[in-house]
Amino acid sequence: MAEGRKGSLTGSGVARGIAIGRAHLLARSELDVRQFNIERRDVVHEIGRLTTGFNAVRAELDQLKSHISAEAPSEVRAFLDLHRMILDDALLAEAPRDLIRTRLINAEWALTIQLEEVCRQFEAIDDEYLRERSTDVRQVVERVLAALAEGRPTRMTLPRKLAAGERLVLVAQDLAPADMLHLKERADIDLAGFVTELGGPTSHTAILARSLGLPAVVGASGAHALIEEGDLVVIDADADLVVVNPSEEEIAAFHRRAREQSEHRAQLRKLRGRLSRTSDGMAVELLANIELPKDARDALEAGADGIGLFRSEFLFMDRNELPSEEEQYEAYAKVARVMKGKPVVIRTLDIGADKVLTAAAREGLGMARGAPRPESNPALGLRAIRYCLAYPELFLTQLRAILRASEVGTVRILVPMLAHAHEIEQALAFVAKAKEQLRERKQKYDGRVQIGGMIEVPAAALSVPQFVERLKFLSIGTNDLIQYTLAIDRSDASVAHLYDHLHPAVLHLIAQTIKGGARAGVPVSVCGELAGELEMTELLLGMGLRQFSMHPSQILQIKERLFELSTKDAVRVAGRVLRESDPARIRAALEHRKAAVPAAARAPA
């Protein structure tokens, strides 16, 4: 029988699934900082201490990175690189030294003053993802403060020895990616998942948890008050729930669900080599969305029919130098080779709004040093194709790299956030110029490379007849299409409840785009979050969608769902839904359909 206080907490579930283990509480991350004035003669000594602290943390991060296995998700290195870059940023590395000199204060005090100034700048940003980056800055500074206090980098306390077969659940106010990796990499500790009081689904710790497949609940306020060291904790990420010291009956039920999930995953893996078809034989392509070249192997192992969206901007972010044409070519060509002739759709640089280049990278583009003039509404500002057209050499460099990669595989170019026909014409003109430059260099490329466009704004969805005259394929980015159609920022808590993918206007724009493409014989895919939502599979199928593009981890679930569905039934469902005007009734109807499809209908042997 479980002992101790019983109870439950709610938060935001991350990396679906159930984790059961013994709690290990990490001390709250905020450190008490000594604050005192110094003599002029001690300035050099304090600056030296600060330099030593920074160097110690750099060495720790470098050592941790050197021990990461080759099979680890790409995000692991990316987040360590980000924290390493924060250490080198002049706002943290240089400004505290100036404070020590001018205000004659100790290193710790100077560093915390600058930390609060940097975090104030981050927290004034409207975008949720960018606000979360203040957490990364705090985590890095706290490691330096610990090094200053102890003369060495901070090390988390280790848990008591676990019984045979027991797993560990970390409980913290917040958790730095480096700390999570430190325990994840230890052979003697079986990390089941973690619970944090702070953070949201866009924090780097949450993103890393998804990549590592660790169930977690973030933003679980009151975790330290309820959970004690050694308590039995269940993380139910599917239900956004943490259960502390459950009863024997509850434990048995959670173990049963965990076994069922494991068995279901094993069954899904058997579907990898089977063609994606509905129960009445309609072929459907299931493509993968990827962010970095190494993700292509995950797509191939999941049985993807190709890459429906390679988000190339992740090659440009969190670095001080823009990737060269050669570096980009190697990245794109690597994906093309891995996919062995299967189509690879590479989206041109989608930067702007919540995805930003570093100050040094922006300077490389000819911008003034530091942040550009703040946009009153960055989601409606210079982003995606607008950004590329504003910086022609940036665009041409990328287009040349993509075209060169087309020589080693089936590569296609996807242009994001089109709204005007003249933007299509300009993009096509840039492609033609890039081809001309390659011919002058005598470098090979596939002259039949297809150019497609993303449907992300209502103007594009309403202009499909003009788009299909100029483009060879379309891809619907439902995340932005919903945002722009409903004028809702889903990261704004005060209006997030109004962000509804089942709003009739959104559904009609999606259906209209699919129908317009079919009428012109132009393929249409959905590459937004909706493509991987089980409740949407039948509806999208009924609208005529035959290409779904999603995270590799979602492909087998959607394939299983398609085996259960009839195209004729799906068409009838879509017809009824598109005649409905109430999102609540649409949602109820789709939930009913999801439950009604016979579970026995599976892939043919």
Side-chain angles (χ1 to χ4, degrees):
M1 177 71 70
E3 299 177 354
R5 288 175 292 182
K6 302 179 188 299
S8 62
L9 301 162
T10 58
S12 297
V14 177
R16 303 291 94 183
I18 292 172
I20 303 173
R22 292 288 174 183
H24 174 52
L25 274 62
L26 300 181
R28 293 182 181 273
S29 57
E30 298 293 344
L31 297 174
D32 291 327
V33 175
R34 295 184 301 154
Q35 300 180 2
F36 56 86
N37 292 101
I38 61 173
E39 299 294 332
R40 178 68 63 183
R41 64 176 179 271
D42 295 325
V43 166
V44 173
H45 173 70
E46 286 301 305
I47 290 176
R49 287 183 62 238
L50 190 64
T51 300
T52 300
F54 271 77
N55 288 341
V57 176
R58 285 191 189 96
E60 180 193 25
L61 293 177
D62 289 344
Q63 182 184 30
L64 188 56
K65 185 178 177 181
S66 70
H67 287 88
I68 296 172
S69 66
E71 292 75 29
S74 54
E75 290 88 349
V76 173
R77 287 180 180 79
F79 294 148
L80 290 179
D81 287 340
L82 173 62
H83 281 206
R84 184 70 161 73
M85 189 172 70
I86 290 171
L87 279 169
D88 295 332
D89 193 288
L91 282 173
L92 283 182
E94 298 299 330
R97 291 171 170 77
D98 293 336
L99 289 171
I100 292 171
R101 295 186 190 98
T102 59
R103 296 179 58 172
L104 298 180
I105 57 178
N106 65 310
E108 291 89 343
W109 193 359
L111 186 55
T112 53
I113 289 173
Q114 188 60 22
L115 166 66
E116 294 309 319
E117 174 58 31
V118 172
C119 287
R120 268 196 300 272
Q121 295 177 22
F122 272 104
E123 288 161 4
I125 299 173
D126 289 336
D127 183 82
E128 179 186 10
Y129 179 84
L130 294 180
R131 280 200 308 273
E132 289 277 6
R133 301 293 64 81
S134 67
T135 300
D136 292 288
V137 178
R138 286 187 182 279
Q139 289 168 349
V140 169
V141 168
E142 285 169 2
R143 300 184 89 79
V144 177
L145 290 172
L148 288 171
E150 304 174 15
R152 61 183 184 278
T154 181
R155 292 285 185 183
M156 68 166 61
T157 57
L158 294 177
R160 65 175 179 79
K161 189 173 179 60
L162 298 173
E166 283 190 329
R167 308 184 72 194
L168 184 72
V169 170
L170 289 181
V171 181
Q173 183 180 37
D174 196 12
L175 187 61
D179 286 333
M180 182 164 60
L181 288 170
H182 176 64
L183 282 184
K184 179 67 176 173
E185 295 291 314
R186 285 180 61 105
D188 58 332
I189 295 175
D190 188 359
L191 184 59
F194 65 87
V195 179
T196 64
E197 295 195 22
L198 303 178
T202 60
S203 68
H204 278 165
T205 303
I207 294 169
L208 187 55
R210 290 189 194 97
S211 300
L212 296 172
L214 285 173
V217 172
V218 298
S221 179
H224 271 90
L226 178 63
I227 304 172
E228 296 180 348
E229 183 73 21
D231 279 348
L232 186 64
V233 174
V234 177
I235 298 171
D236 186 348
D238 299 315
D240 303 326
L241 184 68
V242 178
V243 181
V244 183
N245 292 319
S247 66
E248 289 184 354
E249 293 78 10
E250 288 174 317
I251 294 171
F254 280 121
H255 275 297
R256 184 167 59 251
R257 277 184 55 201
R259 282 195 304 272
E260 290 170 354
Q261 290 176 352
S262 178
E263 291 167 1
H264 186 227
R265 285 192 294 269
Q267 290 298 316
L268 286 177
R269 285 193 290 271
K270 296 178 181 179
L271 305 180
R272 283 181 296 188
R274 298 186 180 180
L275 295 175
S276 302
R277 294 184 182 276
T278 61
S279 63
D280 53 352
M282 177 63 69
V284 177
E285 287 186 75
L286 296 182
L287 308 166
N289 298 340
I290 66 170
E291 296 173 353
L292 292 169
K294 68 178 301 179
D295 299 339
R297 295 224 168 263
D298 294 335
L300 205 61
E301 290 173 6
D305 295 315
I307 302 299
L309 177 64
F310 182 172
R311 297 183 173 101
S312 66
E313 59 269 17
F314 286 88
L315 297 175
F316 292 74
M317 294 169 64
D318 295 338
R319 54 186 295 169
N320 289 328
E321 292 183 358
L322 295 171
S324 66
E325 178 182 331
E326 203 61 33
E327 181 183 345
Q328 289 187 63
Y329 163 71
E330 290 296 338
Y332 306 144
K334 179 179 180 180
V335 175
R337 291 189 186 102
V338 167
M339 297 311 293
K340 301 176 181 177
K342 292 182 177 182
V344 175
V345 177
I346 301 174
R347 181 172 70 186
T348 57
L349 185 60
D350 185 9
I351 211 73
D354 61 334
K355 291 174 282 191
V356 296
L357 301 177
T358 65
R362 290 195 301 270
E363 186 179 10
L365 283 174
M367 294 183 180
R369 184 166 182 82
R373 180 180 59 82
E375 297 174 281
S376 58
N377 192 334
L380 302 180
L382 193 66
R383 59 169 299 196
I385 184 58
R386 302 169 186 175
Y387 201 101
C388 289
L389 294 177
Y391 296 96
E393 277 309 311
L394 176 74
F395 197 23
L396 284 170
T397 299
Q398 181 174 40
L399 290 173
R400 289 194 302 268
I402 297 174
L403 287 168
R404 288 172 58 194
S406 70
E407 180 66 14
V408 300
T410 308
V411 170
R412 297 168 184 165
I413 299 173
L414 179 62
V415 183
M417 205 181 167
L418 293 167
H420 302 274
H422 68 76
E423 289 172 335
I424 301 175
E425 299 297 345
Q426 288 176 283
L428 293 175
F430 269 92
V431 173
K433 184 172 181 61
K435 289 180 178 179
E436 180 185 349
Q437 291 173 338
L438 291 179
R439 286 194 297 270
E440 291 173 355
R441 295 184 190 171
K442 296 184 170 29
Q443 290 181 304
K444 294 181 179 180
Y445 65 90
D446 182 355
R448 300 163 300 174
V449 170
Q450 294 184 3
I451 314 299
M454 291 199 73
I455 306 298
E456 298 175 276
V457 298
L462 295 170
S463 303
V464 167
Q466 291 75 45
F467 278 38
V468 295
E469 289 177 1
R470 298 167 171 84
L471 299 167
K472 296 299 183 183
F473 65 96
L474 301 177
S475 184
I476 305 174
T478 53
N479 301 354
D480 274 333
L481 183 61
I482 298 166
Q483 170 176 266
Y484 291 126
T485 301
L486 302 182
I488 297 296
D489 179 359
R490 60 177 168 172
S491 67
D492 185 339
S494 63
V495 295
H497 64 285
L498 299 174
Y499 182 93
D500 191 350
H501 62 279
L502 296 180
H503 191 291
V506 172
L507 297 181
H508 279 280
L509 289 176
I510 294 172
Q512 182 174 316
T513 301
I514 296 170
K515 185 176 180 180
R519 189 181 295 120
V522 172
V524 177
S525 69
V526 167
C527 63
E529 293 296 320
L530 295 193
E533 295 287 342
L534 285 172
E535 71 164 15
M536 292 296 294
T537 306
E538 185 173 29
L539 178 57
L540 293 172
L541 180 71
M543 290 178 177
L545 188 68
R546 299 295 179 264
Q547 290 183 349
F548 295 67
S549 191
M550 65 204 73
H551 191 279
S553 65
Q554 298 170 311
I555 287 176
L556 294 178
Q557 282 188 316
I558 299 298
K559 181 181 285 191
E560 180 186 48
R561 178 69 171 157
L562 286 168
F563 286 138
E564 302 169 346
L565 299 175
S566 157
T567 310
K568 293 178 181 178
D569 289 344
V571 170
R572 285 193 289 269
V573 169
R576 286 197 298 272
V577 165
L578 291 172
R579 289 192 295 272
E580 184 57 69
S581 60
D582 182 359
R585 293 180 63 176
I586 293 173
R587 184 169 287 101
L590 294 182
E591 284 296 325
H592 175 73
R593 284 297 303 167
K594 182 178 173 183
V597 173
R602 291 288 183 245

